[in-house]
């Protein structure tokens, strides 16, 4: 509004300036014409006078004329001497021959000029008419003067009028303009508001200028189309990224995308878990600065240089050591491309491989010992001992014992293999655990007595009922009782007990035998692990009994606990979930 107002005032100023000039010029032209007319009439009058410019009554005539016309009349001779003046006496006025208007009139008949009058001390307009009548011997100038201040006065009046008019007009028009522009620009603020909303991701702002029949209407329609399209695209992008996120987060493989500069662009949960990194820590940082793995660095460099893909395997440094396999491939065909890394956790695989290798080595070693014994005894017999009646029977018994050991080992191995294969080889039924313990007791009570062991049963009544594979539980109890008999010296005691513990049924096989040292207690459950190899073998042990116990218990949803003190005895506890009613 202020802008319009100032613009109007400037226009008014220019208009007034031009108008003033025109009016001034017109006024001057008018006054000049008036002056000339009066000068002409006076010239005619002078020429009619008998004495010409020397006439006595001429001064009075000029004064009268001056009063009537508000002009000043001066009569100047050809040599410049003032002979009469309507305002001042001739003696007060010096020669006037060199005045501008007089000089012009000398050549052109009529001269006009404007200047400040030293005589009257006002701005004046001067017109001079030459009278050159040779017949009457008159050669003089009639000079007519008029105050130009009056013109200024008139122009000022006009200016004032125009100023007032322009001011009112300016106020009116700029007010109207402001009103009009406010009305017509109002939709713009709606657009600005809606655009701001789009900027913060809101696409549902209603413009409220729909249905207009002008350009705003068309624009709002186009804008709404744009809103819908943007919304659709954002939803599409969102869905895509959600899908990608879901796929990436559900992947077991770790996925990482690395910028050409080495910073992490994308990492799924699995990758963070494998590299032991937290999400906020990883993004925007250089991967190789956070995980200092030389193998990975080399694979990335190789991939970037050769623009193919490379594979590497490495062990993590932080936390529990894991073995990871990485496949690095390039992301884009840039000069120095970014890379995508897919990580596989092969820790278990490698552990299994090692275990398998160990197992094969162990099995062959274990089987070799009894076989070598059998071979040695058979050879001894062949080489003559067969006829040695003192020894031959002993050697045949040894061959039988070793063959039985071999048989037992193979049976144990097969059982272990079956349990470990994970195949469903169990048939679960509901049964009481006391009868199993009793059966085992009956089976070994005589052997225990032969070895002078105090064998006892301490069963809780009524018997706890479990839902498990009967055969498994029988094997577990049998293996534990056999071990207890094997590793308890004479006069020791063995107890099979049952009881309930919260939701579990517990079978306890306790002895007062040689016991197991603290550091060995975990290892006795490993395959082929024996604290004392020779002793175990002499007892006919295979080194697999406790491994079978552990696997069978776990396969039946239970757990094994061992409490033992060297030289004092051992207590094996089998906890199995009670049957749910
Ligand atoms: P083995 O056939 O040698 O008995 P096991 O797997 O049954 O194999 O037991 C592994 C080892 O654990 C045994 O060699 C023995 O050293 C130790 N062990 C098992 N049971 C007992 C026990 N009741 N008392 C002392 N040591 C035991």
């Amino acid at each position: 509004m202020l802008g319009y107002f100032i613009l109007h005032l400037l226009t008014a100023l220019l208009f007034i300036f031009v108008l003033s000039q025109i009016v001034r010029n017109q006024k001057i032209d008018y006054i000049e014409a008036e002056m000339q007319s009066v000068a002409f009439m006076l010239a005619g009058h002078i020429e009619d006078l008998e004495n010409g410019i020397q006439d006595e009554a001429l001064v009075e005539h000029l004064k009268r004329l001056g009063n009537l016309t508000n002009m000043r009349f001066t009569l100047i001779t050809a040599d410049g001497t003032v002979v009469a003046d309507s305002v001042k006496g001739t003696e007060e006025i010096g020669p006037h021959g060199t005045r501008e208007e007089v000089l012009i009139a000398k050549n052109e008949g009529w001269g006009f000029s404007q200047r400040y009058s030293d005589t009257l001390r006002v701005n004046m307009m001067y017109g001079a008419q030459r009278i050159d009548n040779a017949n009457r011997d008159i050669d003089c100038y009639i000079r007519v003067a008029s105050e130009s201040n009056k013109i200024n006065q008139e122009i000022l009046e006009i200016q004032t009028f125009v100023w007032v008019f322009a001011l009112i007009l300016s106020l009116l028009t700029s007010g109207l303009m402001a009103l009009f522009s406010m009305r017509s620009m109002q939709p713009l603020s709606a657009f600005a508001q809606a655009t701001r909303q789009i900027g913060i991701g809101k696409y549902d702002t209603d413009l409220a200028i729909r249905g207009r029949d002008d350009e705003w209407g068309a624009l709002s329609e186009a804008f709404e189309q744009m809103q819908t399209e943007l919304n659709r695209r954002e939803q599409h992008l969102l869905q895509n990224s959600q899908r990608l996120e879901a796929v990436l987060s559900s992947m077991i493989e770790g996925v990482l995308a690395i910028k050409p500069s080495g910073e992490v662009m994308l990492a799924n949960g699995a990758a963070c878990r494998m590299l032991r990194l937290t999400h906020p820590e990883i993004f925007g940082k250089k991967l190789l600065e956070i995980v200092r793995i030389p193998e990975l660095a080399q694979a990335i460099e190789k991939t970037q240089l050769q623009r193919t893909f490379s594979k590497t395997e490495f062990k993590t440094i932080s936390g529990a050591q894991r073995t990871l396999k990485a496949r690095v491939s390039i992301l884009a065909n840039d000069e120095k491309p970014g890379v995508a890394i897919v990580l596989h956790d092969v820790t278990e695989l490698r552990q299994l491989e090692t275990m398998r290798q160990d197992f094969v080595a162990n099995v062959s070693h274990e089987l070799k010992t009894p076989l070598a014994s059998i071979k040695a005894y058979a050879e001894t017999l062949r080489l003559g001992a067969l006829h040695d009646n003192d020894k031959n029977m002993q050697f045949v018994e040894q061959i039988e014992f070793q063959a039985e050991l071999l048989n037992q080992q193979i049976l144990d191995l097969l059982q272990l293999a079956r349990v470990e294969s994970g195949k469903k080889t169990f048939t679960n039924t509901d049964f009481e655990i006391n009868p199993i313990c009793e059966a085992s007791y009956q089976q070994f009570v005589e052997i225990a007595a032969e070895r002078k062991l105090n064998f006892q049963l301490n069963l809780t009544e009524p018997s706890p009922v479990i839902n498990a594979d009967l055969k498994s539980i029988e094997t577990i109890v049998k293996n534990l009782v056999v071990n207890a008999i094997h590793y308890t010296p004479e006069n020791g005691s063995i107890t099979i007990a049952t009881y309930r513990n919260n939701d579990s049924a517990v079978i306890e096989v306790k002895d007062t035998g040689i016991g197991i040292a603290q550091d060995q207690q975990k290892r006795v459950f490993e395959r082929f692990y024996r604290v004392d190899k020779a002793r175990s073998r002499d007892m006919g042990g295979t080194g697999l009994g406790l491994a079978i116990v552990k696997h069978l218990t776990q396969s039946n949803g239970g757990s094994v606990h061992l409490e033992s003190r060297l030289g004092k005895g051992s207590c094996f506890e089998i906890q199995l979930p009670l049957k749910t009613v």
Side-chain angles (χ1 to χ4, degrees):
M1 191 174 164
L2 190 75
Y4 276 122
F5 187 66
I6 291 171
L7 200 71
H8 275 107
L9 286 189
L10 281 174
T11 316
L13 193 72
L14 191 73
F15 175 71
I16 287 164
F17 176 74
V18 174
L19 190 76
S20 304
Q21 285 307 314
I22 292 169
V23 170
R24 182 185 295 276
N25 288 343
Q26 275 182 354
K27 276 272 167 201
I28 289 168
D29 285 351
Y30 176 77
I31 291 169
E32 188 186 344
E34 209 175 43
M35 281 172 150
Q36 202 173 6
S37 311
V38 178
F40 267 136
M41 284 195 294
L42 199 62
H45 178 71
I46 290 169
E47 277 173 324
D48 289 344
L49 287 177
E50 200 176 327
N51 295 326
I53 57 167
Q54 306 300 335
D55 200 287
E56 295 279 301
L58 199 55
V59 175
E60 277 308 310
H61 183 68
L62 287 183
K63 275 185 183 168
R64 218 170 37 249
L65 207 59
N67 286 337
L68 282 171
T69 57
N70 259 343
M71 288 181 191
R72 177 184 167 197
F73 298 94
T74 313
L75 208 55
I76 306 161
T77 60
D79 59 4
T81 317
V82 175
V83 285
D85 188 86
S86 62
V87 178
K88 305 239 170 175
T90 50
E91 60 283 354
E92 290 173 53
I93 309 165
H96 269 48
T98 55
R99 295 290 196 270
E100 193 187 345
E101 64 279 0
V102 177
L103 288 174
I104 300 167
K106 193 174 183 178
N107 296 322
E108 295 173 15
W110 170 254
F112 185 77
S113 79
Q114 294 181 67
R115 66 174 176 279
Y116 184 75
S117 162
D118 291 330
T119 323
L120 299 173
R121 300 189 191 286
V122 280
N123 278 318
M124 297 290 286
M125 288 181 289
Y126 297 100
Q129 178 65 47
R130 186 175 177 186
I131 308 169
D132 185 11
N133 193 333
N135 299 336
R136 294 281 327 273
D137 194 22
I138 300 173
D139 187 7
C140 66
Y141 301 95
I142 298 169
R143 198 183 71 161
V144 187
S146 178
E147 278 183 33
S148 42
N149 282 3
K150 277 185 199 147
I151 302 173
N152 288 342
Q153 192 66 36
E154 280 176 42
I155 287 171
L156 201 68
E157 274 169 25
I158 293 170
Q159 274 180 351
T160 314
F161 172 75
V162 176
W163 268 123
V164 171
F165 180 74
L167 209 67
I168 293 168
L169 199 71
S170 299
L171 279 173
L172 215 71
T173 51
S174 52
L176 277 173
M177 278 300 279
L179 208 73
F180 172 72
S181 42
M182 248 157 67
R183 234 185 70 77
S184 61
M185 291 293 130
Q186 185 237 345
L188 206 58
S189 68
F191 274 108
Q193 175 69 12
T195 317
R196 264 196 295 272
Q197 292 294 312
I198 288 180
I200 57 165
K202 288 186 181 169
Y203 302 100
D204 52 357
T205 316
D206 190 2
L207 272 174
I209 48 168
R210 231 176 297 110
R212 277 175 73 135
D213 205 16
D214 53 6
E215 285 77 6
W216 287 118
L219 192 62
S220 82
E221 226 169 81
F223 192 85
E224 273 169 10
Q225 269 174 16
M226 186 186 77
Q227 273 181 321
T228 321
E229 184 59 21
L230 277 176
N231 194 11
R232 195 185 64 74
R233 285 189 191 190
E234 199 191 79
Q235 290 306 321
H236 188 66
L237 282 175
L238 208 69
Q239 276 174 6
N240 273 355
S241 80
Q242 277 170 350
R243 245 176 261 157
L244 187 72
E245 182 94 337
V247 171
L248 284 175
S249 61
S250 64
M251 276 173 78
I252 308 165
E253 292 84 8
V255 179
L256 289 153
I258 312 291
K259 286 182 191 171
S261 51
E263 285 145 16
V264 179
M265 235 177 356
L266 181 145
N268 71 347
C272 293
R273 276 193 300 278
M274 286 180 195
L275 297 171
R276 311 232 170 270
L277 299 166
T278 46
H279 265 268
E281 184 195 340
I282 195 166
F283 288 112
K285 296 210 177 139
K286 294 199 171 176
L287 178 72
L288 297 172
E289 282 176 9
I290 333 172
V291 291
R292 296 181 183 278
I293 301 165
E295 294 91 337
L296 194 61
Q298 279 165 12
I300 292 174
E301 203 177 332
K302 192 176 156 200
T303 310
Q304 282 179 328
L305 280 174
Q306 297 180 353
R307 299 171 168 280
T308 51
F309 70 88
S310 47
K311 288 176 178 175
T312 185
E313 198 169 303
F314 56 88
K315 286 191 162 56
T316 55
I317 313 156
S318 57
Q321 202 181 58
R322 317 273 320 159
T323 311
L324 301 182
K325 213 169 125 180
R327 188 188 193 277
V328 186
S329 49
I330 55 165
L331 266 181
N333 222 4
D334 298 341
E335 200 175 317
K336 196 187 177 200
V339 291
I341 305 171
V342 180
L343 297 170
H344 293 267
D345 191 338
V346 289
T347 316
E348 267 89 41
L349 199 73
R350 295 288 175 262
Q351 272 172 1
L352 276 175
E353 277 170 12
T354 326
M355 270 169 71
R356 205 170 51 223
Q357 283 161 6
D358 290 354
F359 183 69
V360 172
N362 275 333
V363 169
S364 39
H365 179 75
E366 290 292 331
L367 298 182
K368 236 170 19 197
T369 319
L371 267 176
S373 299
I374 292 170
K375 211 176 146 197
Y377 287 123
E379 222 168 68
T380 318
L381 284 171
R382 185 170 54 82
L383 291 174
L386 193 64
H387 306 293
D388 181 347
N389 288 338
D390 286 346
K391 297 270 173 68
N392 56 6
M393 221 27 211
Q394 195 190 336
F395 287 167
V396 172
E397 275 172 16
Q398 273 302 322
I399 289 175
E400 205 184 335
F401 177 75
Q402 294 297 337
E404 179 52 33
L405 191 66
L406 209 57
N407 181 42
Q408 196 53 48
Q409 259 176 344
I410 289 166
L411 285 178
D412 279 2
L413 273 173
L414 285 174
Q415 187 168 25
L416 199 61
R418 249 199 324 273
V419 181
E420 283 189 346
S421 71
K423 282 187 195 136
K424 191 100 177 116
T425 49
F426 307 118
T427 23
N428 281 16
T429 47
D430 293 346
F431 56 89
E432 296 184 339
I433 55 168
N434 285 359
I436 295 163
C437 299
E438 267 169 30
S440 201
Y441 175 81
Q442 294 304 336
Q443 192 185 347
F444 292 103
V445 72
E446 273 180 32
I447 301 169
E450 276 170 25
R451 298 198 181 198
K452 299 194 175 66
L453 296 169
N454 175 19
F455 197 9
Q456 287 179 359
L457 265 180
N458 182 12
L459 306 177
T460 183
E461 290 295 340
S463 168
V465 179
I466 59 168
N467 179 276
D469 178 50
L470 186 75
K471 283 248 173 300
S472 300
I473 309 303
E474 282 173 355
T475 312
I476 292 167
V477 179
K478 191 193 114 193
N479 283 4
L480 292 178
V481 172
V482 168
N483 276 351
I485 293 171
H486 281 168
Y487 302 106
T488 310
E490 276 184 16
N491 300 322
S493 56
I494 300 166
T495 316
I496 309 178
T498 58
Y499 59 92
R500 286 185 185 77
N501 182 14
N502 299 326
D503 295 337
S504 301
V506 185
I507 303 172
E508 187 184 272
V509 180
K510 204 170 171 180
D511 64 60
T512 56
I514 58 168
I516 305 163
Q518 187 71 33
D519 57 325
Q520 311 278 332
Q521 287 180 12
K522 257 212 171 133
R523 302 210 62 193
V524 291
F525 292 99
E526 289 174 15
R527 292 190 212 95
F528 300 117
Y529 189 81
R530 295 139 160 153
V531 179
D532 182 344
K533 266 197 177 13
R535 184 181 180 138
S536 163
R537 207 163 276 136
D538 288 347
M539 301 284 186
T542 59
L544 295 168
L546 286 183
I548 292 171
V549 168
K550 186 182 157 194
H551 277 95
L552 283 177
T553 314
Q554 285 176 347
S555 300
N556 281 281
S559 55
V560 197
H561 303 276
L562 166 61
E563 260 181 48
S564 183
R565 278 178 64 196
L566 205 59
K568 298 274 176 199
S570 313
C571 177
F572 288 88
E573 256 181 30
I574 306 295
Q575 292 207 12
L576 292 156
L578 278 168
K579 183 205 152 195
T580 44
V581 190

